[in-house]
């Protein structure tokens, strides 16, 4: 899945930034680097700053235009500062990572970064379905290219890890009937301990229902809670006898 996510660098002027971006990608498990019309091809400086990510740098694809780089992509997100003059669908970095991971099973997706000094042109931004803006300190919002790649690649990885956890461990929740039996058992046990008075439960059970509904216990967790209540019932009966 991650190999189908393109990191596209447009018209990069410093080869060291290409190497640093490759390193940022590899730390987050990304490997599909595309270079659009770089001022200079990756050189020794790029290799040095790539550190252990020489494979990502060496396998980079170089093309002349952004159109070529994203031709097969079903989702293209361009990095951009927020603009009041050009309204375009915007994503927060976290939303960006989640959207890319949700769509990448269907087709390649691309995250596009512009020039170090002035970003992407309006024409290039219009080739993107969404724009993403990193909400940095407004008093000093300058991020170099590798920092921006690292930040957004991190969000992609976090979204991917979250999806892996969901796929690996499907959560089983109790049906409503099981919950109602639990609430009945809970009320009975609390009456047995004297915590609530049988004829005057007041708001206690309502508040406890809110508590458990808010926490939404899984089926296994509910079984544990029922087991705890049964052990309290047993201890209470023993004390009375």
């Amino acid at each position: 899945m991650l190999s189908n996510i393109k990191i596209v660098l447009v018209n990069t002027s410093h080869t060291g930034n290409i190497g640093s971006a490759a390193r940022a990608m590899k730390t987050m498990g990304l490997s599909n680097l595309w270079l659009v019309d770089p001022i200079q091809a990756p050189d020794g400086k790029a290799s040095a700053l790539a550190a252990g990510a020489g494979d990502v740098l060496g396998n980079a694809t170089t093309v002349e235009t952004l159109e070529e780089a994203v031709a097969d992509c079903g989702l293209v997100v361009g990095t951009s500062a927020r603009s009041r003059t050009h309204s375009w669908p915007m994503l927060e970095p976290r939303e960006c990572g989640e959207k890319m991971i949700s769509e990448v099973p269907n087709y390649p997706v691309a995250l596009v970064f512009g020039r170090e000094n002035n970003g992407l042109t309006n024409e290039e931004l219009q080739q993107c379905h969404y724009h993403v803006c990193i909400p940095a300190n407004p008093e000093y919002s300058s991020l170099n290219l590798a920092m921006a790649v690292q930040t957004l690649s991190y969000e992609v990885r976090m979204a991917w890890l979250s999806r892996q956890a969901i796929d690996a461990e499907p959560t089983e929740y109790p049906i409503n009937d099981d919950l109602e039996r639990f609430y009945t058992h809970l009320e009975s046990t609390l009456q047995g301990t004297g915590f609530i008075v049988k004829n005057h439960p007041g708001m206690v059970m309502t508040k406890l229902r809110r508590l458990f509904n808010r926490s939404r216990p899984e089926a296994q967790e509910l079984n544990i809670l029922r087991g705890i209540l049964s052990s309290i019932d047993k201890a209470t009966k023993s004390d009375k006898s």
Side-chain angles (χ1 to χ4, degrees), residues 7 16 20 54 68 74 84 89 102 140 182 187 209 212:
I7 298 296
S20 295
E68 294 175 76
R84 295 181 180 179
S102 69
Y140 188 70
F182 164 70
E187 184 173 0
R209 278 177 173 265
F212 286 108

Side-chain angles (χ1 to χ4, degrees), residues 74-236:
L75 173 67
V76 181
V77 180
T79 54
S80 171
R82 292 188 182 276
S83 172
R84 295 181 180 179
T85 56
H86 296 91
S87 177
W88 207 264
M90 294 291 300
L91 297 172
E92 298 296 333
R94 192 140 302 170
E95 291 178 302
C96 177
E98 291 168 354
K99 190 159 192 65
M100 299 197 87
I101 291 301
S102 69
E103 296 196 26
V104 74
N106 305 318
Y107 34 65
V109 300
L111 191 51
V112 184
F113 297 83
R115 299 155 188 81
E116 292 95 331
N117 57 347
N118 56 6
L120 296 167
T121 65
N122 288 334
E123 290 75 15
E124 290 163 344
L125 285 169
Q126 288 174 15
Q127 294 183 53
C128 304
H129 300 100
Y130 294 90
H131 298 169
V132 60
C133 176
I134 298 172
N137 177 8
E139 296 179 4
Y140 188 70
S141 59
S142 177
L143 288 172
N144 69 30
L145 179 59
M147 287 179 178
V149 172
Q150 185 77 80
T151 300
L152 294 178
S153 295
Y154 169 81
E155 294 296 350
V156 168
R157 183 165 186 80
M158 291 302 99
W160 177 75
L161 289 174
S162 178
R163 179 65 61 90
Q164 295 296 107
I166 292 172
D167 293 343
E169 299 180 11
T171 302
E172 181 183 353
Y173 291 102
I175 60 174
N176 198 61
D177 193 45
D178 290 336
L179 279 172
E180 288 302 319
R181 281 198 291 268
F182 164 70
Y183 292 133
T184 299
H185 191 174
L186 178 61
E187 184 173 0
S188 173
T189 299
L190 294 180
Q191 288 171 353
T193 63
F195 186 81
I196 59 175
V197 180
K198 184 174 183 178
N199 296 327
H200 302 285
M203 294 294 293
V204 173
M205 285 307 303
T206 298
K207 289 183 179 297
L208 287 173
R209 278 177 173 265
R210 284 174 55 193
L211 169 65
F212 286 108
N213 284 339
R214 187 168 62 244
S215 63
R216 200 184 181 195
E218 299 171 8
Q220 188 176 20
E221 293 169 338
L222 193 70
N223 289 336
I224 293 172
L225 291 171
R226 291 293 300 271
I228 292 171
L229 293 177
S230 295
S231 70
I232 294 172
D233 293 341
K234 184 177 180 180
T236 303

Side-chain angles (χ1 to χ4, degrees), residues 9-54:
L9 309 183
V10 176
N11 202 211
T12 312
S13 58
H14 302 291
T15 58
N17 286 336
I18 298 174
S20 295
R23 182 177 182 178
M25 289 171 59
K26 188 165 184 177
T27 61
M28 295 298 127
L30 304 180
S31 59
N32 198 351
L33 175 61
W34 285 65
L35 306 176
V36 175
D37 189 28
I39 300 298
Q40 185 178 343
D43 55 12
K45 186 173 183 180
S47 298
L49 289 176

